[in-house]
Amino acid sequence: ELDGVSYGFEFLWSYRDSAWYFSVNDAEGTPIVTHRKAVVSFPLLARFHRADLPPGTLVLQDTGGQFEDPGLTDLGARVQLLYFSTAELSGSVL
């Protein structure tokens, strides 16, 4: 639940690209954004301006400080998905 709204997230590993891709669904499972590459230190949904997306910012953070995109075993371990609400972001820049 983000800002009081339920979302579903799906993360899939691409062996061809050696990268994670993610999709965001609404509470009923209807796709909102699909197959976006999961990269660190960049607002993941920044290019999308849709009313049904979370109003805040989703970012993957490399907790090791290397700024490396997640490998096969890194997502949820070294690389964490963070959400910053609009209230948290007011007055700050990512």
Side-chain angles (χ1 to χ4, degrees), residues 14-89:
S14 169
Y15 284 96
R16 183 187 68 193
D17 296 339
S18 294
W20 284 99
Y21 287 82
F22 72 96
S23 298
V24 180
N25 302 322
D26 67 16
E28 288 77 38
T30 303
I32 301 172
V33 172
T34 59
H35 304 102
R36 301 296 306 162
K37 190 173 183 179
V39 297
V40 299
S41 301
F42 184 81
L44 296 175
L45 301 174
R47 79 178 273 236
F48 300 97
H49 302 284
R50 297 177 47 138
D52 52 356
L53 282 173
T57 300
L58 286 164
V59 177
L60 287 175
Q61 179 184 30
D62 181 349
T63 61
Q66 307 286 305
F67 298 102
E68 293 180 12
D69 292 337
L72 179 60
T73 61
D74 296 326
L75 197 59
R78 177 183 58 84
V79 177
Q80 299 287 313
L81 179 63
L82 304 176
Y83 179 73
F84 298 96
S85 69
T86 52
E88 291 173 306
L89 292 173

